[in-house]
Amino acid sequence: MAVALLVAAGSGERLGSDRPKAFVVLAGRPMLEWSVDALRAAGIDEIVVAVPPGEAAPAGCIGVEGGATRSESVRRALAAAPPGEAVVVHDAARPLVRPQHFTDALAALADADAAIVAARVPHTTKEAGEDLVVTATLDRSRLWAIQTPQAFHRVVLQRALDCDPATLARATDDAWLVEQAGGRVRIVESTPENFKVTTPHDLKVAALLLGERGA
Ligand code: CTP
Ligand code: MG
């Protein structure tokens, strides 16, 4: 059975709201609850939530205090997780996640060390130096914008998170740590709808989309 680690311990500095981002009310409920519902609809009931100091996890979830970095929050949540061979990690900042994202990512673990949900990059993407002079135009057909959920065999995630603190602090996603160790990471195709709420603009778009879903 899979267990879920829902990371919700960030402050939401770029959103600039009056409370931690995952607890901002979005289409009538705290942002993180949309992800909890999607997890349960996917049949995943064992959910560990990393929360900021002073905040409580939603009813029926296991709460742990998050760390100073996202990776540290993941590490703390994993340490509190009940037994289970597969682990799915998700950002509470992606409230538009669908149950199928979780089930697809877990199914893709059959022939990989990790499976990550990602959307094709729709824009022409170039590389430039500090001087803003273009050095390359990338082959768009090979580019993926990485999202969560990300699914792992538990031992793989545990090993990846046991790296030195400097590497852990550099990790913007958990799968990168697995790649560094030579692991096989598979992509599961998603859409841009599963975006991360980062700015006030994102919050407005998410509220509109989730409001429509509830109707
Ligand atoms: N997160 C966490 N612990 C941290 C930092 C982030 O659990 N120390 C979680 C956030 O709550 C979020 C996810 O990781 O669900 C992705 O992080 P991000 O979008 O950067 O959220 P914040 O760190 O809250 O936002 P900001 O960077 O603007 O402060
Ligand atoms: Mg952050």
Side-chain angles (χ1 to χ4, degrees), residues 134-205:
V134 170
T135 51
T137 297
L138 304 177
D139 174 5
R140 199 173 60 185
S141 69
R142 295 170 55 83
L143 295 180
W144 293 87
I146 300 310
Q147 305 174 343
T148 68
Q150 301 195 342
F152 303 87
H153 296 284
R154 193 185 187 111
V155 284
V156 171
L157 182 61
Q158 186 68 65
R159 221 177 287 139
L161 292 170
D162 279 345
C163 62
D164 64 282
T167 307
L168 196 67
R170 271 179 59 210
T172 54
D173 80 323
D174 310 296
W176 178 74
L177 295 167
V178 176
E179 291 159 49
Q180 294 296 105
R184 178 179 163 85
V185 179
R186 178 176 281 288
I187 283 176
V188 172
E189 184 163 0
S190 168
T191 66
E193 192 202 21
N194 182 33
F195 65 87
K196 183 161 74 74
V197 173
T198 306
T199 63
H201 169 267
D202 299 332
L203 190 69
K204 274 190 196 162
V205 178

Side-chain angles (χ1 to χ4, degrees), residues 3-78:
V3 298
L5 313 181
L6 181 63
V7 285
S11 60
E13 216 168 288
R14 289 167 288 180
L15 188 63
S17 59
D18 60 351
R19 68 191 80 177
K21 181 164 76 181
F23 294 82
V24 167
V25 175
L26 181 55
R29 45 219 298 249
M31 189 184 300
L32 79 171
E33 290 190 8
W34 291 97
S35 294
V36 170
D37 276 9
L39 279 162
R40 289 185 174 141
I44 303 168
D45 292 314
E46 297 198 295
I47 306 169
V48 184
V49 187
V51 294
E55 296 286 352
C61 299
I62 299 165
V64 291
E65 193 171 307
T69 62
R70 182 187 176 284
S71 300
E72 187 53 36
S73 293
V74 173
R75 184 146 64 176
R76 289 185 185 195
L78 182 61

Side-chain angles (χ1 to χ4, degrees), residues 47-129:
I47 306 169
V48 184
V49 187
V51 294
E55 296 286 352
C61 299
I62 299 165
V64 291
E65 193 171 307
T69 62
R70 182 187 176 284
S71 300
E72 187 53 36
S73 293
V74 173
R75 184 146 64 176
R76 289 185 185 195
L78 182 61
E85 199 279 320
V87 179
V88 64
V89 182
H90 182 61
D91 289 340
R94 293 188 190 272
L96 287 133
V97 67
R98 300 279 188 176
Q100 201 182 343
H101 289 132
F102 295 109
T103 48
D104 285 356
L106 287 164
L109 275 185
D111 69 347
D113 295 305
I116 63 179
V117 165
R120 289 187 182 278
V121 172
H123 322 285
T124 296
T125 305
K126 295 182 190 287
E127 217 175 65

